[in-house]
Amino acid sequence: VNVGMNRLRLSTTNTATWSCVIVATFSILFMGSCRRDQEPRVTKSALQRCIAKTGYEGAGDASPAVMAAARACAEKYITKPTVQLWAQKPGTSVPLDVRRDGDRVFVEAFLNCAKQKGMEVEVEQAGGGSIRIKARNGRNTTPIDSTDPAFLACTNSAEKAEHDRLLPFL
Amino acid sequence: MENAGGSKQEGGRMKDIRLIAVLLPIIACGQVDDRTDPVVKRQSSLGSEIILYETAQSTVVQDGDWIRWRFIDKLSDSPEQLVYRGTRGEQGGCVFNRSGSSKGAVQDVVIIERTIAVNMNQCLMESERATLLESDAVARGLLPVEETKAGDQFTGAAQAGGSELQLQTAGNFSGSYRTLLQDILGITTTAVRSNVDWSTNGSCMLGWHRWWDWYKLTGSGWSIGTNGERGTTSGTLPCNDIWQQSWAFFSNWFFCGFTPTFADHADVQFHAFSDGTSSYSSSTNWYGACYWLLHFTDAYDPN
């Protein structure tokens, strides 16, 4: 009985070993095929690959059929916003005067923060309540754009201030 | 009993191994397969950003809440950088106003302003603006010409006043201002333009006519809603300031997974002055599920 059990154990061990070998082999094979697929994904998204197959080159002057195919790709792969859209809600639920106050709170919070971070900021009216913001580095007067870390920190805190103002109505 | 239990245990292990053997390659592939994911992440100087779309002309990336358009062809060596804070719109989204004017009666130039970044959560938009020779702008494809190829175009009836225009003579001008919304594929989806032709003796108008037009891409679900125009009264001859104001509202229920996206070219104005200069202003609001995929390009032809 013991010999039989030992054989069974040996057989089980062998089977387990072979299973591991098979798993490893298949995994390597599959991973290899994945890697082959993965390579273009470093530079191309699924959307872009889909559009590339249509022949559309991005110039907007392709044939209607090609453009329709390109748009079908967009509809297939872009089905939901990836940007948080709390800001989309105010129009329907927040009274106009509160929205305008939120606009004011944003600008004030941004300007206060910019001052603290040593930015020189000019604000111009662009019409209809919109403003143009011109920001410069206070030390070397180089223009600051929306990729500047200090600018981003200030717009983030300004967004929070505006959001807090609108929150009771959202 | 002990052995039977051990055997059961071994059998259980075997089942687990077989299950893993079947699932592991699938799981492994799942880790790198992005068939339903339209995006690719890469590291930038600011952290992780997502490439939404890349063409020979531009790359569109998502960088946090910002959508950024990186154009291969620069507008100019040192375009003017503008950051706008819009106002929260009545229907959601953000209303962005732009305005400007020509400094002199310089002909054959066009001023292009185009979005390079948008953050709708913060109602912020960054654009770049440059004055270019019109021929150069056309040759470089900076003035979109889709309306001749893939869209519906409407041109309103012209209104006129004063003497008949003789556009080949000195003191005659032709200007326009157009706002266009383009999607991430670089396709113009909607556009509205105000146009004025005028002649002047340098201090007062001699004659003018004005008209408007709009455009929408066909075959992609865009439809036009409220639209109209107004301006200097036909048959009159003000000494200064001939103006054209145009507007059109567009919607699309198919653009973004059967949820609506709206493009409101609410106010597109062009003012012509008797000294040959002009000014423009606009108010554009786009909102809905996929409004963050759209950006604008403005083309201002001063005179």
Side-chain angles (χ1 to χ4, degrees), chain A residues 1-2 5 8-9 12 15-16 19-20 22-23 26-27 30-31 33-35 37-38 41-49 51 56-62 64 67-68 70-71 74-75 77-92 99-100 102-103 106-107 125-134 144-149 151-152 155-156 159 162 166, chain B residues 3-4 7 10 14 17 20-21 24-25 28-29 32-40 46 51-57 62-68 80-93 95-99 117 119-122 124 126 129 146 149-150 183-187 189 217 219-220 222 252 254-257 259 282 287-293:
Chain A
V1 173
N2 281 341
M5 286 306 294
L8 182 65
R9 276 183 191 145
T12 307
T15 310
S19 295
C20 282
I22 291 166
V23 166
F26 272 89
S27 296
F30 274 91
M31 289 292 277
S33 70
C34 290
R35 283 205 187 94
D37 280 344
Q38 188 187 7
R41 289 182 189 132
V42 174
T43 55
K44 288 186 178 178
S45 67
L47 167 64
Q48 194 163 350
R49 288 199 304 276
I51 289 169
Y56 178 71
E57 293 175 347
D61 57 355
M67 285 175 67
R71 294 210 62 82
E75 284 163 18
Y77 287 108
I78 303 173
T79 55
K80 60 181 179 181
T82 50
V83 176
Q84 186 187 355
L85 292 177
W86 69 265
Q88 201 176 322
K89 294 177 184 173
T92 52
R99 270 186 281 138
R100 291 296 81 87
D103 294 332
F106 182 97
V107 175
Q125 292 298 319
S130 291
I131 58 163
R132 265 194 297 262
I133 299 168
K134 284 185 181 174
I144 286 174
D145 65 15
S146 70
T147 62
D148 182 90
F151 180 92
L152 291 170
T155 59
N156 287 341
E159 180 189 350
E162 183 191 12
L166 302 185
Chain B
N3 285 340
S7 178
E10 289 292 343
M14 286 301 296
I17 289 167
I20 291 167
L24 188 63
C29 271
V32 291
D33 194 346
D34 64 350
R35 274 176 209 160
T36 56
D37 182 357
V39 298
V40 173
L46 297 169
I51 300 173
L52 293 173
Y53 190 64
E54 206 163 19
T55 70
Q57 286 79 35
Q62 185 178 352
D63 173 19
D65 284 354
W66 288 86
I67 305 294
R68 301 186 189 281
E80 185 182 7
Q81 303 277 117
L82 305 160
V83 176
Y84 294 91
R85 159 69 198 199
T87 54
R88 300 284 176 196
E90 194 177 333
Q91 301 297 325
V95 182
F96 291 106
N97 296 75
R98 279 98 61 200
S99 59
N119 182 332
M120 289 299 188
N121 290 338
Q122 297 178 350
L124 289 173
E126 186 173 20
R129 183 166 66 181
E146 282 88 347
K149 293 171 181 170
D183 65 15
I184 62 165
L185 308 185
I187 299 171
T189 55
L217 183 68
S220 61
W222 286 100
N252 191 332
F254 309 101
F255 173 59
C256 186
T259 53
S282 66
Y287 56 96
C290 277
Y291 66 155
W292 57 278
L293 293 170

Side-chain angles (χ1 to χ4, degrees), chain B residues 263-284:
Chain B
D264 190 3
H265 299 253
D267 180 11
V268 180
Q269 287 196 44
F270 185 94
H271 289 256
F273 305 116
S274 54
D275 63 357
T277 62
S278 64
S279 70
Y280 70 92
S281 64
S282 66
S283 172
T284 314

